[in-house]
């Protein structure tokens, strides 16, 4: 099953792309097939987010709508410190297992 993940940051370019690449790489090593896209935090809509299995913003975001899509804040991945990134990868994996 292909897992679809949406990453987001302020510009939808740099940080979200780094997060996307790190998640895809880590989930592949854990045996999951993941496709990820990036976007700008301010562009998030209910219709957009609900096309994905998991939403991974760089920081906590207050959405103007309710969604059942799991949200995992992924900013600590950017520090490239395994002890900070590992819990995020574990959380993503647990969501994937529950899908």
């Amino acid at each position: 099953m292909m897992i679809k993940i949406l990453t987001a940051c302020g510009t939808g370019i740099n940080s979200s792309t780094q997060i996307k690449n790190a998640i895809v790489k880590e989930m592949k090593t854990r045996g999951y097939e993941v496709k990820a896209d990036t976007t700008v935090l301010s562009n998030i809509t209910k219709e957009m987010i609900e096309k994905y299995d998991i939403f991974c913003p760089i920081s906590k975001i207050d959405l103007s709508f309710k969604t059942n899509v799991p949200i995992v804040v992924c900013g600590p991945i950017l520090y490239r410190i395994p002890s900070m990134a590992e819990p995020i990868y574990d959380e993503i994996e647990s969501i994937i297992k529950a899908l």
Side-chain angles (χ1 to χ4, degrees):
M1 172 170 87
M2 173 69 72
I3 306 301
K4 296 179 290 185
I5 297 175
L6 180 63
T7 66
C9 68
T11 63
I13 300 169
N14 190 15
S15 296
S16 58
T17 299
Q18 290 179 55
I19 291 168
K20 173 186 98 166
N21 292 341
I23 291 170
V24 169
K25 180 179 178 185
E26 179 65 24
M27 291 304 114
K28 183 176 181 178
T29 65
R30 294 180 183 211
Y32 301 101
E33 192 175 353
V34 173
K35 178 187 183 307
D37 296 315
T38 63
T39 193
V40 180
L41 284 170
S42 61
N43 289 350
I44 300 295
T45 64
K46 183 175 179 69
E47 294 75 24
M48 176 190 295
I49 202 172
E50 292 188 346
K51 294 178 183 174
Y52 294 88
D53 299 303
I54 305 170
F55 176 49
C56 294
I58 187 172
S59 59
K60 188 172 191 247
I61 179 174
D62 290 323
L63 299 171
S64 61
F65 54 85
K66 294 197 184 279
T67 181
N68 291 324
V69 175
I71 299 172
V72 180
V73 175
C74 290
I77 289 173
L78 299 175
Y79 293 111
R80 292 181 177 76
I81 300 171
S83 64
M84 294 179 80
E86 199 68 26
I88 294 168
Y89 296 138
D90 291 345
E91 184 178 354
I92 292 169
E93 182 176 27
S94 71
I95 292 168
I96 290 171
K97 286 179 177 180
L99 292 175

